[in-house]
Amino acid sequence: MYGHLRPNLPDTHYIDNRIYTDEQIFRDEQAHIFGKVWQFVCHESEVAMPGDFRCTQVAGKPVIIVRGQDGQIRAFFNVCRHRGAEVVREESGHASDFTCFYHHWSYRLDGTLQSVAKPAGYEAVKLDTAQLGLVPVRAELVAGLVFACLDPDAPSLREFLGGICEPFLQPLGTVPMEVFHFHKAIIHTNWKLWQDNNSERYHSMLHASNRKTLPWVMGKTSPMKLRIFPNGHSGYWSDGEATVNYEKGGYTGVTGGSLPGMRDNEMRVANLFPDLMINIRSNVVRLDRMVPLDAGRTLVEWRGLGVKGDDEDMRAMRLRHHNMFWGPAGRNLPEDVLAVESQMRAIRSDAVRYSILAREEDMNPTDDANLRAYYQEWGRRMGRSPSHADAVSK
Amino acid sequence: MKGAAMSQENPQDLLRALADRQAVLDLMHATADLLDNEELDEWLELFDEGAEYELGAYSPEIRRETSWWKVDRATLGKQLAEVRQHVRDPARRRHVLGLPLIYLNGDRARAVCAFSIFRTLPDGTSSLYVVGRYEDGFVKKAGRWLYASHKVVADTRVLDSFTHLPL
């Protein structure tokens, strides 16, 4: 079948599209990637006060993130040790302790079991309540970003992230930030296609606004360069002048209030393996986080961050800047979603089996080197070549 | 029934209030119809010069109101002028409005109205897109009612497709 002919390229330069559609590969990803690596779960401002909690999912497992009375942020499986009901049933909230609604087993904010209902019934078996706290999940922070990891043997968060922290440590980590924008959607595509969209700039021509405002994307050379780090992380930012030309696009009222370390109209993007994008446009931050639901559906959470304590005008400016491009009614985001859903509809048919990641152009943002590095890491963790979906190497 | 229109004792005042109420109601339905037909210039003409358009929702995830689109009339005009440059959701939309509660106060008014929007894809299948309510302010200028503010508060927070068009 002509559509199944392999490209005449090195294996590293194309993808077998079945890695986006195969449900067994999806299940393997949950086990070998999402069950093993650090994943962003929320910003520290979402659990600002002792007792604040936030619920989410990591590798398909329900997780509570909570700030304890000692100020420490911890994570636990949101599963009662008694009969397995969800201990917390809200998306977020504030609590002095957690009491399971089913049989009223109660847990402290540090996860320890505080009390059981009718304890005399357990005296005969000498129930050891000290062993029956909520099951802890590793939680660590960098620059206010809270990450969780299900693997007790994984390296520390900072070891996992390495140099990819460089572009966001100062803007996110030196002034108190808070989430002022949140929205989510279930997009009908494979989660990796959304990460690809966030990682490659070759698609900037899709966006009417980017065609006007990002000259360094469309030119032959660019002061903006890809940066590639171990463990599948990458990003792009400039050491020199590579600013967004808002004036050329006719966009006003979005400049000023730059975050620490950011020049006016500067843009930096960091893509953290496997699913987080940190996109900074001088004075506002966008975070994309994914919860893959199955091979063809992905819950994406979008957050917008600004400086905590902004006055009304400054917050309005950051909000305007954020929503202009990244809100659900922004100029760019609707187009990105249409693109990755279109990909998925066509790829699912298996009419054309391979897609191309072969751009080599001196690490300009439209080079595919970061995607190749990402899929190399994907292949290492999966024990499977991304260009040969049916060949498993371990 | 709530609203100043029904509390008038003078028959002429009552007639004027009824006419104002009908005019505001017509304006709200014109809004829906113009958006459904993508007559965006005409839709923008329903806004007073200093008016603001906002789309938002309460986010239980971060426990605060979150604003997804908040612009003045001038910015809205620029964004609508660019709509046809964008790659867009191919679905057609149909607004269905409930009966609004309208509160008249001289040349000012406000209204709250439940709405739903359905999407019909090019293949003919339809689905509910957004349900929510409008929280609107109006001003009467030169005998014509216009939006002073038009706020869309969405109950639906997981959208099937994002939007370059106002809701």
Side-chain angles (χ1 to χ4, degrees):
Chain A
M1 187 172 174
Y2 183 72
H4 291 184
L5 291 178
R6 287 185 184 279
N8 186 22
L9 291 165
D11 284 356
T12 51
H13 284 49
Y14 65 92
I15 294 287
D16 185 328
N17 292 330
R18 290 174 295 178
I19 72 167
Y20 302 116
T21 60
D22 186 293
E23 291 293 347
Q24 182 57 50
I25 288 177
F26 176 84
R27 288 189 288 274
D28 290 347
E29 287 170 338
Q30 291 291 296
H32 301 315
I33 295 176
F34 288 93
K36 295 290 184 185
V37 303
W38 287 96
Q39 275 186 274
F40 169 76
V41 285
C42 69
H43 186 260
E44 63 177 351
S45 65
E46 295 172 65
V47 286
M49 303 298 293
D52 286 353
F53 65 85
R54 182 82 171 81
C55 289
T56 189
Q57 294 222 338
V58 175
K61 296 179 170 40
V63 170
I64 313 169
I65 298 101
V66 58
R67 190 183 288 271
Q69 293 297 350
D70 57 359
Q72 186 178 338
I73 295 173
R74 298 179 177 85
F76 306 97
F77 284 135
N78 183 14
V79 180
C80 183
R81 296 298 302 275
H82 175 224
R83 296 301 305 275
E86 295 161 317
V87 176
V88 178
R89 294 184 297 152
E90 296 86 26
E91 296 268 4
S92 70
H94 181 86
S96 55
D97 53 32
F98 298 122
T99 299
C100 178
F101 71 102
Y102 198 2
H103 301 96
H104 291 200
W105 281 36
S106 175
Y107 302 88
R108 298 180 186 88
L109 298 180
D110 65 4
T112 54
L113 183 60
Q114 182 168 256
S115 65
V116 301
K118 298 188 70 178
Y122 293 114
E123 284 174 4
V125 296
K126 295 184 173 54
L127 187 75
D128 184 359
T129 55
Q131 301 299 314
L132 291 173
L134 294 173
V135 174
V137 172
R138 295 174 71 188
E140 295 180 15
L141 281 76
V142 59
L145 308 177
V146 183
F147 288 75
C149 179
L150 302 186
D151 182 2
D153 300 321
S156 71
L157 173 63
R158 291 302 291 267
E159 194 177 341
F160 172 66
L161 295 179
I164 191 60
C165 297
E166 180 191 331
F168 63 83
L169 274 182
Q170 197 175 355
L172 271 75
T174 54
V175 290
M177 303 285 286
E178 68 177 348
V179 178
F180 65 73
H181 170 101
F182 184 93
H183 77 278
K184 62 185 177 183
I186 295 172
I187 58 175
H188 296 267
T189 197
N190 183 266
W191 65 275
K192 298 185 292 299
L193 293 174
W194 187 250
Q195 188 70 3
D196 291 354
N197 179 276
N198 278 339
S199 301
E200 57 99 339
R201 283 273 65 85
Y202 190 42
H203 80 274
S204 279
M205 58 196 73
L206 165 67
H207 303 305
S209 61
N210 284 9
R211 291 195 295 270
K212 298 171 189 167
T213 60
L214 304 184
W216 38 266
V217 167
M218 305 307 289
K220 283 185 180 175
T221 60
S222 172
M224 183 76 82
K225 293 295 181 189
L226 291 181
R227 323 286 171 127
I228 295 174
F229 297 89
N231 297 325
H233 312 304
S234 71
Y236 51 93
W237 56 92
S238 171
D239 295 323
E241 287 302 315
T243 52
V244 181
N245 192 341
Y246 293 102
E247 199 174 311
K248 192 174 176 193
Y251 304 112
T252 57
V254 296
T255 300
S258 293
L259 297 170
M262 298 292 294
R263 295 185 297 274
D264 279 352
N265 300 342
E266 183 186 354
M267 182 177 177
R268 298 180 189 177
V269 175
N271 289 289
L272 279 54
F273 188 90
D275 70 325
L276 176 67
M277 178 180 75
I278 303 169
N279 193 337
I280 311 172
R281 278 185 182 244
S282 67
N283 52 32
V284 71
V285 179
R286 164 183 161 188
L287 303 176
D288 285 22
R289 186 237 170 179
M290 286 187 266
V291 178
L293 302 175
D294 55 40
R297 291 182 312 139
T298 305
L299 173 68
V300 186
E301 297 177 348
W302 287 270
R303 287 167 172 80
L305 275 70
V307 176
K308 196 171 186 174
D310 275 341
D311 64 30
E312 195 176 330
D313 289 344
M314 183 59 74
R315 179 55 55 90
M317 186 273 290
R318 295 192 208 278
L319 179 68
R320 185 165 55 244
H321 193 186
H322 175 278
N323 286 350
M324 187 174 288
F325 301 101
W326 298 331
R331 304 301 88 193
N332 291 4
L333 199 64
E335 294 169 329
D336 287 322
V337 172
L338 288 169
V340 297
E341 291 190 337
S342 169
Q343 268 182 296
M344 192 65 192
R345 281 193 300 275
I347 283 174
R348 197 189 286 281
S349 72
D350 198 29
V352 174
R353 180 160 289 176
Y354 302 99
S355 49
I356 309 296
L357 304 178
R359 295 185 63 78
E360 293 186 3
E361 49 171 338
D362 194 28
M363 299 293 273
N364 288 337
T366 47
D367 196 317
D368 285 333
N370 58 339
L371 295 184
R372 290 191 289 271
Y374 179 87
Y375 281 104
Q376 186 178 18
E377 177 65 8
W378 182 91
R380 185 183 75 78
R381 289 187 173 274
M382 291 287 286
R384 181 191 289 274
S385 166
S387 58
H388 296 72
D390 44 6
V392 179
S393 62
K394 73 175 181 186
Chain B
M1 183 181 287
K2 291 180 179 178
M6 294 301 109
S7 65
Q8 306 294 327
E9 293 182 0
N10 180 312
Q12 286 201 334
D13 289 347
L14 179 59
L15 278 175
R16 189 178 305 117
L18 283 170
D20 283 339
R21 175 180 294 275
Q22 187 62 45
V24 169
L25 187 61
D26 288 350
L27 173 58
M28 298 177 79
H29 279 271
T31 302
D33 194 51
L34 290 170
L35 284 179
D36 289 345
N37 294 316
E38 295 195 13
E39 295 175 75
L40 303 178
D41 293 340
E42 292 81 355
W43 180 79
L44 195 63
E45 289 299 312
L46 303 179
F47 285 71
D48 185 37
E49 268 187 26
E52 185 176 80
Y53 173 79
E54 183 172 8
L55 164 63
Y58 178 76
S59 166
E61 293 86 359
I62 58 172
R63 290 185 283 162
R64 64 164 66 187
E65 299 285 340
T66 182
S67 187
W68 296 343
W69 194 356
K70 187 175 184 179
V71 284
D72 58 27
R73 189 185 187 282
T75 306
L76 187 59
K78 171 177 166 45
Q79 292 179 341
L80 294 182
E82 291 177 346
V83 159
R84 287 178 175 79
Q85 298 174 29
H86 290 293
V87 178
R88 290 195 294 139
D89 177 17
R92 295 305 304 262
R93 296 176 184 176
R94 181 73 60 200
H95 286 67
V96 178
L97 271 57
L99 277 175
L101 284 169
I102 299 172
Y103 305 90
L104 296 171
N105 183 14
D107 286 343
R108 292 273 171 177
R110 59 191 178 89
V112 179
C113 184
F115 73 90
S116 52
I117 304 174
F118 293 83
R119 283 172 80 234
T120 300
L121 295 171
D123 69 5
T125 55
S126 297
S127 60
L128 179 63
Y129 179 42
V130 180
V131 62
R133 69 183 188 280
Y134 292 129
E135 295 178 357
D136 297 329
F138 305 91
V139 59
K140 191 178 183 181
K141 285 191 174 173
R144 184 184 178 212
W145 285 97
L146 297 165
Y147 281 104
S149 62
H150 186 29
K151 183 174 182 181
V152 185
V153 182
D155 297 338
T156 307
R157 293 179 298 109
V158 180
L159 303 178
D160 265 345
S161 178
F162 294 148
T163 183
H164 288 105
L165 294 174
L167 300 181

